[in-house]
Amino acid sequence: MVEREQVRPLAPASHRLSSEDDKVTNHLSRLRRRRCIKCWGCIAATILIQAAVVIILVFTVFRVKDPVIKLNGFTVDKLELINGTTTPGPGVNMSLTADVSVKNPNFASFRYKNTTTTLFYRGTVIGEARGPPGQAKARRTMKMNVTVEIISDSLMSNPSLLTDISSGILPMNSYSRVPGRVKMLKIIKKHVVVKMNCSITVNITSRSIQKQKCKRDVDL
């Protein structure tokens, strides 16, 4: 008796089609995942590059630099003296004009409020002046003339005045203050106060500054 060979029945056609569909679906799913990963990777890389560029700009081009205030000189406008001497007359009227400049090294304008300049003679306040608000454009220097009216009583009452006048030299000190703000791209705002202290030697005969030494300070 011949044994019949056992023949494995073929899978139904519907089952074979289902397996092929699953493979295609899995393949397409993997492709979509890869594309999605690449897409998010590109987005993340773009964000990182933009953030790096912004950081570089903030610490280079858009970094707020200190404005520089400078006293270019003083001019004696009025000084009433007794004829043939260097001695001021009674009730002397005296005024000085300070030539002050504000240099703005930033790539944005520096808007400042009222400037203040105070003049001292041997520790005593003898005059004060206020300058109008203004603006120093980007990478430009703004110049201003500030006239200081001398308080004659405070000057004449100082016991050292006659000695200094006899030598033809008046030692003075000035203090200037310029508050303002630097604004970049309507985002970066920095309040700045520029200060300057100067030691000045005024030549009475030539009515000009003979010597000056200034120290600057900036509060951010």
Side-chain angles (χ1 to χ4, degrees):
M1 185 175 179
V2 180
E3 296 181 357
R4 296 181 179 177
E5 295 183 358
Q6 294 182 355
V7 179
R8 176 177 291 179
L10 296 175
S14 60
H15 180 73
R16 291 199 301 271
L17 291 174
S18 177
S19 299
E20 292 176 358
D21 290 342
D22 289 341
K23 290 180 180 180
V24 172
T25 302
N26 291 335
H27 179 68
L28 293 175
S29 178
R30 285 195 297 271
L31 287 177
R32 283 195 295 267
R33 281 199 299 270
R34 290 176 184 174
R35 291 175 181 173
C36 186
I37 292 173
K38 288 181 180 179
C39 181
W40 283 109
C42 291
I43 293 174
T46 302
I47 293 174
L48 289 175
I49 292 173
Q50 291 178 344
V53 170
V54 170
I55 291 173
I56 292 172
L57 290 176
V58 167
F59 286 97
T60 54
V61 177
F62 295 141
R63 182 173 66 87
V64 177
K65 301 176 184 178
D66 297 344
V68 178
I69 183 173
K70 183 179 180 181
L71 177 62
N72 302 308
F74 265 108
T75 303
V76 180
D77 298 322
K78 292 188 298 184
L79 180 57
E80 298 176 1
L81 304 175
I82 296 176
N83 293 334
T85 69
T86 56
T87 305
V92 61
N93 288 324
M94 182 179 178
S95 66
L96 302 176
T97 297
D99 179 9
V100 180
S101 63
V102 180
K103 181 181 179 181
N104 179 21
N106 295 287
F107 284 90
S109 61
F110 170 58
R111 297 179 180 273
Y112 53 87
K113 301 178 182 178
N114 291 333
T115 62
T116 304
T117 299
T118 306
L119 198 63
F120 301 84
Y121 171 67
R122 296 197 178 277
T124 302
V125 176
I126 61 171
E128 186 176 77
R130 292 182 179 273
Q135 173 180 315
K137 295 182 180 180
R139 303 181 68 82
R140 298 289 181 87
T141 299
M142 176 68 180
K143 289 188 176 183
M144 65 186 86
N145 290 325
V146 181
T147 301
V148 183
E149 294 290 340
I150 303 301
I151 304 172
S152 59
D153 292 342
S154 298
L155 180 64
M156 297 298 291
S157 62
N158 196 299
S160 300
L161 180 63
L162 292 179
T163 303
D164 290 334
I165 288 177
S166 298
S167 66
I169 297 296
L170 283 180
M172 296 184 179
N173 294 88
S174 69
Y175 172 74
S176 299
R177 185 176 183 273
V178 183
R181 183 181 68 176
V182 177
K183 185 177 181 181
M184 294 185 178
L185 300 179
K186 298 182 180 181
I187 299 175
I188 304 172
K189 298 179 182 178
K190 200 75 173 181
H191 291 274
V192 181
V193 179
V194 187
K195 305 173 184 177
M196 181 176 61
N197 286 288
C198 293
S199 299
I200 308 162
T201 300
V202 179
N203 189 307
I204 298 176
T205 303
S206 63
R207 301 189 181 188
S208 61
I209 298 297
Q210 182 170 306
K211 184 180 179 181
Q212 69 174 11
K213 183 178 180 181
C214 297
K215 182 180 179 181
R216 302 173 187 85
D217 186 26
V218 179
D219 291 340
L220 298 174

